[in-house]
Amino acid sequence: MSLSLQIDHFGFLEDGTFKQRYLVNNEHWDQKGGPILFYTGNEGDITWFCNNTGFMWDVAEDLGAMLVFAEHRYYGESLPFGQDSYSDTKHLNYLTSEQALADFSVLIRELKRKVLGAQESPVIAIGGSYGGMLSAWLRMKYPNVVVGALAASAPIWQFPDMVPCGDFYKIVTQDFARSGLNCDINIRRSWKAIDNITATDDGLQWLSGEFSLCSPLKKTDLDGFKAWLQETWVNLAMVDYPYEANFLQPLPRWPIQVVCKHLSFDPSSVSDYQLLGGISEAARVYYNYTGNCPCLNTSSTATGNLGFIGWYYQACTEMVMPLCTDGVQDMFEPQDWNFQAFSDECNSLFGVRPRADWAATVYGGLDIASHSNIIFSNGGLDPWSSGGVTRNISDSVVAIVIPDGAHHLDLRYNNEYDPHTVLSARIQEVEYFKLLNHSELHFPC
């Protein structure tokens, strides 16, 4: 389904409209007051998020709920200017979280106006990651439209001067350290090993062959190669699920444990060649678990269902999330957060400069105690929990921490391998939803 929406909700010169795609399932909906669970779409195709948000499907019958999955503007098929949407910065100008929240608000109001029985149905916003940020912000900005929100793995505090920029990579490192002997130590050593091996042309050729790269490495590619590996380890931390899954790539259960089996060398005696051989096998767990990949492409690290250009534009405008490493408390090469360098890169790519403090201004930063009816869930394995709300703010802005959970594990389908901590979290979330059907949340501590 689709709804015609304003391209610009906040100005009057751009009077055009576009079609926003949304998906609806009312199989279990109780038309006499059953809730509407409204998924606030992320930076990608909404069908992909719909298929990876099994929690909503699992609880729909118990709650008598209608399910709605709304696509975020500029992603999937919801393109404000069609094929020209990404053509230049002028067309990208309306890609903001504020415009997306207004889209969701208008869509909800239209559904309640047009769907018989929906007028009396409370709407609960649900989202994960950036979508979780949007679900929390939708409740904050439009409390007249949604009665509450579940914000899963939502790093609403991963902005300048809110949390330490190094905490993200510390969590990634802890995930590898707990998953296998010497695993994090050997990854930390691998960066120097790459430098040593690639000091010669023969070593560069060997490394390209050892990793079965689709394009042989050149000296000028080494920074990009290291960044590719670093993102690989980050993505593994995000999707360290207890069962086989294919959220970013097809992976085994507890994939970091599988990766670490290739990295258990004694750091005091392993050679650079042995170490990088293990690193290549570890990378194949992520990129070629199925065995169907003839070569590894260092220009890609995740599914094509995510809109990388759009998200990078958002990061270059208002989603400024500082990350840094020190090489001591984490397993990566030291890299400071350099806002000016980031701003210059954004200006070079898009002709825009980021507004570092805008998110704090428009969404309240750390000061969210005046809001109500928001559940923040975070997994202890998820590096994005570094910028998440992991403590209760009030009796109705509450936190659920899932020690064994990776990135929004609680939003996925129930699985026989789920740890009890995520099963408990889902039970709590459903109980909160039932309370929202009747009154504001006031949870016991």
Side-chain angles (χ1 to χ4, degrees):
M1 296 182 178
S2 64
L3 177 69
S4 184
L5 294 173
Q6 293 291 138
I7 290 175
D8 185 7
H9 293 285
F10 306 110
F12 297 90
L13 286 177
E14 173 55 71
D15 197 35
T17 61
F18 76 102
K19 296 289 187 182
Q20 182 191 32
R21 181 167 58 154
Y22 64 98
L23 313 175
V24 177
N25 182 283
N26 57 11
E27 178 185 359
H28 299 295
W29 181 44
D30 178 1
Q31 288 183 280
K32 297 179 180 178
I36 298 171
L37 303 184
F38 186 92
Y39 187 88
T40 48
N42 309 48
E43 68 283 20
D45 188 298
I46 193 59
T47 59
W48 185 62
F49 290 107
C50 175
N51 292 332
N52 279 280
T53 311
F55 168 72
M56 289 173 60
W57 297 92
D58 284 340
V59 303
E61 185 172 7
D62 180 29
L63 294 171
M66 177 196 296
L67 306 183
V68 179
F69 295 84
E71 191 161 69
H72 194 297
R73 57 169 54 208
Y74 285 87
Y75 297 107
E77 296 179 5
S78 301
L79 301 174
F81 297 100
Q83 296 302 310
D84 292 330
S85 296
Y86 283 82
S87 61
D88 55 38
T89 304
K90 179 181 176 182
H91 288 89
L92 278 168
N93 187 54
Y94 306 98
L95 173 51
T96 68
S97 60
E98 296 96 320
Q99 296 279 9
L101 293 177
D103 290 340
F104 297 151
S105 180
V106 172
L107 173 56
I108 291 168
R109 290 171 66 87
E110 281 297 297
L111 286 172
K112 299 197 89 174
R113 186 173 68 85
K114 290 182 176 178
V115 178
L116 186 65
Q119 293 80 4
E120 303 304 317
S121 291
V123 180
I124 302 170
I126 299 176
S129 196
Y130 170 52
M133 298 164 76
L134 292 171
S135 69
W137 291 338
L138 188 62
R139 170 60 186 170
M140 293 177 187
K141 291 295 185 181
Y142 297 93
N144 57 314
V145 175
V146 295
V147 299
L150 169 58
S153 298
I156 66 164
W157 288 343
Q158 193 69 51
F159 291 101
D161 302 319
M162 293 191 201
V163 296
C165 63
D167 284 359
F168 179 94
Y169 285 107
K170 287 180 189 176
I171 296 173
V172 176
T173 301
Q174 289 163 10
D175 291 349
F176 282 80
R178 61 179 272 172
S179 297
L181 180 66
N182 296 328
C183 193
D184 61 313
I185 297 170
N186 280 312
I187 290 175
R188 186 184 290 113
R189 279 206 61 224
S190 70
W191 311 114
K192 181 61 175 173
I194 291 171
D195 292 339
N196 293 340
I197 294 292
T198 58
T200 67
D201 290 340
D202 286 346
L204 203 61
Q205 184 178 356
W206 177 85
L207 191 66
S208 300
E210 184 67 19
F211 277 81
S212 302
L213 299 183
C214 300
S215 300
L217 289 172
K218 302 186 290 289
K219 292 277 189 186
T220 54
D221 297 331
L222 289 182
D223 286 346
F225 177 72
K226 288 181 177 180
W228 174 73
L229 277 178
Q230 180 165 317
E231 190 171 346
T232 301
W233 310 140
V234 167
N235 286 351
L236 278 161
M238 285 174 55
V239 296
D240 195 22
Y241 296 135
Y243 47 79
E244 289 192 356
N246 61 351
F247 183 58
L248 296 180
Q249 295 276 9
L251 291 171
R253 64 185 303 242
W254 296 122
I256 294 183
Q257 291 183 13
V258 179
V259 161
C260 287
K261 289 178 181 177
H262 299 287
L263 298 173
S264 60
F265 308 109
D266 180 348
S268 65
S269 59
V270 64
S271 72
D272 288 343
Y273 284 96
Q274 284 178 306
L275 177 56
L276 294 183
I279 292 287
S280 73
E281 290 301 317
R284 284 186 178 87
V285 173
Y286 182 77
Y287 291 106
N288 197 23
Y289 174 58
T290 61
N292 296 327
C293 186
C295 61
L296 303 191
N297 181 2
T298 58
S299 64
S300 177
T301 59
T303 174
N305 290 299
L306 288 170
F308 292 108
I309 297 175
W311 178 250
Y312 201 69
Y313 174 81
Q314 289 191 260
C316 277
T317 49
E318 58 179 5
M319 295 291 129
V320 181
M321 297 184 173
L323 300 175
C324 62
T325 54
D326 65 10
V328 177
Q329 298 179 85
D330 57 63
M331 61 186 190
F332 302 99
E333 291 189 298
Q335 185 169 14
D336 293 333
W337 165 247
N338 186 329
F339 176 75
Q340 187 58 53
F342 177 65
S343 178
D344 290 344
E345 182 178 358
C346 291
N347 190 52
S348 173
L349 286 171
F350 299 111
V352 299
R353 291 194 181 274
R355 297 177 183 171
D357 300 323
W358 181 240
T361 301
V362 74
Y363 296 121
L366 299 173
D367 186 9
I368 60 172
S370 62
H371 299 293
S372 64
N373 297 2
I374 304 174
I375 307 158
F376 289 99
S377 63
N378 281 282
L381 306 180
D382 181 17
W384 288 111
S385 67
S386 64
V389 180
T390 55
R391 65 181 187 279
N392 288 357
I393 303 299
S394 69
D395 59 358
S396 70
V397 177
V398 298
I400 298 175
V401 176
I402 307 162
D404 305 311
H407 203 46
H408 49 66
L409 175 62
D410 51 323
L411 293 191
R412 297 179 62 80
Y413 280 104
N414 279 328
N415 186 284
E416 62 179 315
Y417 294 111
D418 277 330
H420 71 89
T421 53
V422 76
L423 298 177
S424 174
R426 291 183 185 130
I427 291 170
Q428 281 182 274
E429 289 161 1
V430 171
E431 290 306 310
Y432 294 166
F433 291 172
K434 290 177 179 178
L435 288 173
L436 281 171
N437 248 356
H438 305 289
S439 61
E440 286 208 348
L441 300 180
H442 291 286
F443 307 136
C445 296

